Amino acid sequence: MNFTVIAIIAGLGGLLFGYDTGVISGALLFIRHVFHLGPAMQGVVVAIALGAAAVGAAFAGTLSDKFGRRPVLLVTAAVFVLGALLSAAAWSVAILLAGRVLVGGAIGVASMLTPLYLSEMSPRDKRGAVVTINQAYITIGIVVSYGVGYLFSHGGDGWRWMLALGALPGVILFAGMLVLPESPRWLAGKGHREAARKSLAFLRGGRDVEAELRDLRQDLAREGRATAPWSVLLEPRARMPLIVGIGLAVFQQITGINTVIYFAPTIFQKAGLSSASVSILATAGVGLVNVVMTFVAMRLLDSAGRRRLLLVGLSGMLVTLLAVAGGFMAGMQGGLAWVTVISVAAYVAFFAIGLGPVFWLLIAEIFPLAVRGRGMSLATIANWAFNMLVSITFLDLVHGLGRGPTFLIYAAMTLITLVFTWFLVPETKGRSLEQIEAALEGEGRLA
Ligand code: BGC
């Protein structure tokens, strides 16, 4: 099988993540009437999935280090389908919430396992692009969900279709994972040498895999064990990965991306766009910008490098957030409202070439193999926890401080992220996962 096709199947987990991220706000417009939900309960319907995602991510690392990446992804796909169908069929709030917990938990697992699996199957010179397939799917999922939300926004039971359609990518992921092999790196780590060779040969389309296998074995010989205790994460060689992984996880959220992804139509209406439908159209445009710029990032990550894209992306986010904040403070209306819309779109574009893909890529690269799953778990838990925190505080912040100051806070966070990145985030472009690990072991950092 051609490697591109393999990577396209292996990345499907990102689609579950993106679709659910985008679909719930549209569905909620109807659900709140059907089940008579007040604002607090609506918040719970959204946030419960984010919380469950953090819990799912907590288990994903240990489970996938122990049982392998593939079986855990298979079970995850099945749980996701179940959750999507249950929430679509919900006849009470309790059932709806149960469905949301299953969906959220599955997304939490998939959000870390998809980049992990992609990174472990990639050749080193393409790893940036291959792992970013996950982020591309997330952005595509978001746009598709906006479209589905629009299509089904007319009938009373349309929300059930919105949620049920989420099962589809789950089914495709399940079928796809039946065809794909276990991660060669995980297999080698467990001592299954022949299986690792077969998996790698399958992934490389029958090309010579000896050199790559040798790298892998050397790494394992140094480590001496495939699954080390959690305490390895406290050793000096894991210090930089932990700080960078968890740091970027938190920064990816507190710089405000999901206020736009979840609340864009509201933001645009407040900025002065005349009607709801124009706001929805502008939101779709922003979603498309997100997709297109993620593809641009895919092209650049392995040549320009992760660090450079992150620094450029963050600088752009800073400037555009200041513009959004300034726009709100100056009370732009009418034609000038479009300045805010364009600033928001540019902000998303800069996120999409930097912090969006680079966070998920780096956490799949920098942890030592023996604790890679668990290290990624910690970073992913932090990401979902802060996603939830930002989502539930956004409207209160806007209420209490005003829109301009709220976006100024995200700008300040972006400035801190820029400094953090400048001093602490390493370049991993062009190195094998084993070389990255060896460098960290030797010097505790990547020169
Ligand atoms: C983030 C999500 C966000 C998405 C937007 C991802 O990298 O983790 O929280 O919704 O990008 O494209």
Side-chain angles (χ1 to χ4, degrees), residues 79-118:
V79 171
F80 183 85
V81 172
L82 197 71
L85 296 180
L86 195 63
S87 40
W91 53 93
S92 70
V93 181
I95 300 294
L96 177 68
L97 291 180
R100 296 284 301 148
V101 166
L102 291 180
V103 164
I107 290 175
V109 176
S111 68
M112 68 142 281
L113 264 192
T114 307
L116 173 60
Y117 184 63
L118 287 168

Side-chain angles (χ1 to χ4, degrees), residues 113-445:
L113 264 192
T114 307
L116 173 60
Y117 184 63
L118 287 168
S119 91
E120 289 187 340
M121 68 158 58
S122 311
R124 79 177 89 155
D125 58 334
K126 299 200 179 77
R127 201 173 53 240
V130 172
V131 176
T132 302
I133 290 179
N134 173 58
Q135 177 73 12
Y137 269 121
I138 296 176
T139 59
I140 292 171
I142 293 173
V143 172
V144 170
S145 74
Y146 288 160
V148 169
Y150 182 74
L151 276 182
F152 288 102
S153 64
H154 306 299
D157 261 352
W159 64 274
R160 295 193 186 274
W161 284 104
M162 294 181 203
L163 298 182
L165 276 176
L168 209 60
V171 172
I172 304 174
L173 174 65
F174 189 88
M177 287 312 298
L178 287 176
V179 181
L180 298 193
E182 180 52 82
S183 149
R185 288 184 159 73
W186 183 85
L187 285 168
K190 287 287 177 190
H192 306 305
R193 288 182 163 211
E194 215 16 63
R197 176 197 304 277
K198 272 201 190 131
S199 164
L200 206 55
F202 176 89
L203 294 170
R204 301 287 174 266
R207 251 179 296 129
D208 185 22
V209 294
E210 277 318 309
E212 222 177 320
L213 272 177
R214 213 174 317 120
D215 251 14
L216 251 179
R217 285 206 203 106
Q218 271 170 7
D219 189 46
L220 290 165
R222 206 178 33 246
E223 178 59 49
R225 59 199 163 179
T227 312
W230 277 91
S231 56
V232 169
L233 281 168
L234 298 175
E235 290 173 8
R237 65 189 165 127
R239 196 164 299 148
M240 183 287 280
L242 262 192
I243 294 174
V244 170
I246 296 182
L248 286 183
V250 174
F251 288 131
Q252 200 207 33
Q253 295 299 326
I254 61 176
T255 45
I257 186 64
N258 284 316
T259 64
V260 174
I261 302 292
Y262 300 160
F263 301 104
T266 319
I267 295 176
F268 291 153
Q269 261 188 317
K270 299 279 189 238
L273 284 198
S274 48
S275 69
S277 54
V278 176
S279 293
I280 290 171
L281 212 63
T283 304
V286 169
L288 278 178
V289 167
N290 197 9
V291 176
V292 171
M293 292 310 284
T294 303
F295 277 93
V296 172
M298 274 170 87
R299 287 204 72 95
L300 294 178
L301 278 163
D302 292 309
S303 50
R306 289 67 162 141
R307 226 182 107 82
R308 194 175 306 161
L309 283 183
L310 197 50
L311 289 170
V312 170
L314 285 166
S315 310
M317 283 168 69
L318 178 58
V319 173
T320 47
L321 277 171
L322 289 174
V324 175
F328 276 124
M329 284 168 159
M332 287 181 177
Q333 290 289 321
L336 284 179
W338 284 100
V339 177
T340 305
V341 176
I342 290 167
S343 306
V344 168
Y347 160 74
V348 170
F350 283 115
F351 173 86
I353 60 159
L355 196 52
V358 174
F359 159 65
W360 293 108
L361 173 56
L362 278 180
I363 63 165
E365 296 182 324
I366 54 181
F367 287 103
L369 173 65
V371 284
R372 191 171 291 151
R374 282 166 292 169
M376 281 187 79
S377 261
L378 290 181
T380 310
I381 294 169
N383 190 262
W384 284 107
F386 278 83
N387 184 339
M388 186 161 95
L389 185 81
V390 173
S391 316
I392 56 183
T393 52
F394 175 63
L395 293 179
D396 286 336
L397 278 178
V398 166
H399 220 74
L401 302 176
R403 285 169 225 121
T406 302
F407 280 97
L408 266 188
I409 293 179
Y410 302 135
M413 297 302 157
T414 308
L415 184 60
I416 297 174
T417 314
L418 202 50
V419 175
F420 176 91
T421 300
W422 181 265
F423 287 107
L424 292 175
V425 174
E427 183 53 78
T428 50
K429 160 186 103 168
R431 305 181 191 217
S432 71
L433 296 179
E434 292 69 35
Q435 287 166 344
I436 296 174
E437 183 159 350
L440 282 175
E441 194 145 326
E443 307 176 31
R445 64 192 183 88

